[in-house]
Amino acid sequence: MVKTVTQKISFTDKEQIVKLFGRNDEILRLLEKEFNITVIGRGTDVALKGKTTDVLKAKKFIGKLLMLSKNIDVLTRDDILFALNRNKVGSEFEESLKDGIDVAGGNLFPYGAGKKHIVPKNPAQKKYVEAIKENEIVFSIGPAGTGKTYLAMAMATHHLITKKTDRVILVRPAVEAGEKLGFLPGDLQEKINPYLRPLYDALYEMLEVERLHQYLQRNIIEIAPLAYMRGRTFNDSFIVLDEAQNSTTEQMKMFLTRLGFGSKVIVTGDITQIDLPGSTASGLIEVQHILKDIKGIEFVYFTEKDVVRHKLVQEIIRAYEKRKNNKNKEE
């Protein structure tokens, strides 16, 4: 017969429990499944029941969640799943948790609607945020789901709200990936809007709707296709070029030379997801060799290990990389 033990965790009030576990039992059920224990909540106490080793692991993990929750209003299911995934690889979770809280300082992005504190979730994201703080131009290269665009948008929003910049310019190439623009319905703006939609989605998550609409109407925040940047210069602006792997060499040069005084430029992209015609070179690939030794410009690289979406996303990226490597060997 397996001996079971019960360990009690006492919280200061019910609000602390809600902040950690949410208002339903979904997160508690996740912990039960992960650690093979039973979790019972009574008032401001939570009891963990199960095998000694399982209960102690769960108790230690909840302690880590308490640290994480200091800079997040309410932990979501995705936050818990991410933390569980990181916890399995040992000290990496400890370091990412510590780095995230240190970077945020509890007050980095205090004005967001749903996410009042955006915390870098691993060492690569911490390095990325630090690079943005310290350099005029930062290139962020890596697979989808690593937070490249999201953190760039968060830093842009932070600079705008805290009056470190006067404008935010968000740019994407409008590349014909599978469909010709001419055959899409609507006028030119309606044709290109689908390419820019992800940028709007991120802004709606970070800013109150009314404030965002004011910024957009007054062109304090501008979202535009890359082709619209030609001939312009941006002073005191925070400029983000997203999906830069779909820019040509000429477009990349044109975009980077838009940089004016008091501005920052962030360029993000995934060089494994290029939608340019086969004979066209990607500006994001070439720029790594051209600008790598210039002071004030930094390149930050992410891998599938830095993915902060569902753990299956990591597996999908690895599977495609494996297939690509095998094909290269055969050739």
Side-chain angles (χ1 to χ4, degrees):
M1 184 176 178
V2 179
K3 183 180 179 181
T4 61
V5 298
T6 300
Q7 290 266 334
K8 185 175 72 172
I9 302 177
S10 297
F11 295 88
T12 55
D13 52 47
K14 287 187 177 181
E15 285 302 312
Q16 191 179 37
I17 295 178
V18 169
K19 185 176 182 180
L20 190 63
F21 299 125
R23 295 191 179 277
N24 55 45
D25 293 336
E26 182 184 23
I27 290 174
L28 292 180
R29 302 293 79 84
L30 277 173
L31 297 178
E32 286 184 329
K33 182 179 179 181
E34 178 68 24
F35 295 101
N36 195 29
I37 61 173
T38 301
V39 182
I40 302 170
R42 290 194 182 95
T44 57
D45 294 332
V46 171
L48 313 177
K49 185 177 180 180
K51 291 166 56 177
T52 303
T53 53
D54 294 334
V55 168
L56 292 177
K57 286 179 183 177
K59 188 174 182 179
K60 183 179 180 181
F61 180 73
I62 290 172
K64 295 175 184 178
L65 292 183
L66 278 170
M67 292 173 59
L68 183 61
S69 70
K70 289 179 181 178
N71 284 336
I72 299 177
D73 286 346
V74 176
L75 290 174
T76 66
R77 185 176 185 274
D78 287 343
D79 291 326
I80 302 299
L81 288 171
F82 174 81
L84 285 169
N85 191 37
R86 288 293 180 195
N87 191 54
K88 292 173 183 175
V89 294
S91 61
E92 185 179 350
F93 176 72
E94 300 278 0
E95 287 301 312
S96 65
L97 182 61
K98 180 178 67 176
D99 289 342
I101 292 174
D102 288 344
V103 170
N107 199 34
L108 185 55
F109 311 112
Y111 298 99
K115 297 225 175 191
K116 292 188 178 180
H117 306 288
I118 297 174
V119 182
K121 291 183 174 180
N122 54 47
Q125 287 194 353
K126 172 182 167 58
K127 180 181 179 182
Y128 182 31
V129 171
E130 291 297 332
I132 294 173
K133 292 178 182 177
E134 296 170 4
N135 296 275
E136 282 75 38
I137 300 177
V138 176
F139 291 87
S140 169
I141 301 173
T146 49
K148 305 182 302 296
T149 303
Y150 191 77
L151 283 175
M153 299 280 281
M155 289 296 286
T157 302
H158 170 66
H159 274 68
L160 184 61
I161 295 285
T162 56
K163 303 188 185 304
K164 293 180 180 179
T165 192
D166 293 337
R167 299 181 65 199
V168 169
I169 315 295
L170 306 173
V171 186
R172 264 194 169 199
V175 173
E176 301 174 1
E179 286 187 322
K180 298 292 184 183
L181 281 175
F183 289 96
L184 295 176
D187 58 22
L188 179 60
Q189 190 62 42
E190 289 171 328
K191 291 177 191 290
I192 62 178
N193 270 344
Y195 296 101
L196 308 177
R197 188 73 252 172
L199 302 179
Y200 285 102
D201 291 342
L203 285 172
Y204 276 112
E205 187 171 337
M206 294 175 193
L207 287 168
E208 299 91 340
V209 173
E210 185 177 342
R211 178 179 290 196
L212 174 56
H213 286 175
Q214 289 176 353
Y215 284 162
L216 291 170
Q217 288 170 3
R218 295 162 59 191
N219 276 335
I220 293 173
I221 294 179
E222 180 181 349
I223 304 177
L226 178 58
Y228 287 21
M229 296 299 104
R230 192 175 299 278
R232 304 176 66 182
T233 299
F234 299 107
N235 295 315
D236 300 311
S237 301
F238 196 110
I239 313 154
V240 179
L241 171 59
D242 190 36
E243 298 287 336
Q245 75 275 7
N246 289 326
S247 64
T248 65
T249 300
E250 293 76 15
Q251 286 175 329
M252 179 64 75
K253 178 183 176 183
M254 177 272 292
F255 172 76
L256 293 175
T257 53
R258 302 308 93 200
L259 177 68
F261 294 105
S263 293
K264 280 184 182 288
V265 166
I266 313 301
V267 179
T268 76
D270 177 2
I271 56 177
T272 69
Q273 298 287 331
I274 297 173
D275 297 317
L276 293 167
S279 60
T280 305
S282 168
L284 185 59
I285 291 179
E286 294 198 343
V287 78
Q288 297 174 74
H289 308 290
I290 297 171
L291 303 182
K292 63 180 181 180
D293 297 322
I294 298 180
K295 188 176 181 181
I297 299 177
E298 185 166 347
F299 290 83
V300 179
Y301 293 91
F302 293 88
T303 70
E304 78 279 353
K305 293 180 180 178
D306 303 310
V307 170
V308 294
R309 293 180 184 170
H310 194 287
K311 63 181 180 181
L312 284 178
V313 175
Q314 292 184 5
E315 298 298 327
I316 291 168
I317 293 170
R318 288 194 194 103
Y320 273 94
E321 282 297 312
K322 184 178 179 180
R323 184 174 184 274
K324 179 182 177 182
N325 292 336
N326 289 339
K327 286 183 68 176
N328 290 338
K329 289 178 182 178
E330 291 173 2
E331 294 172 357

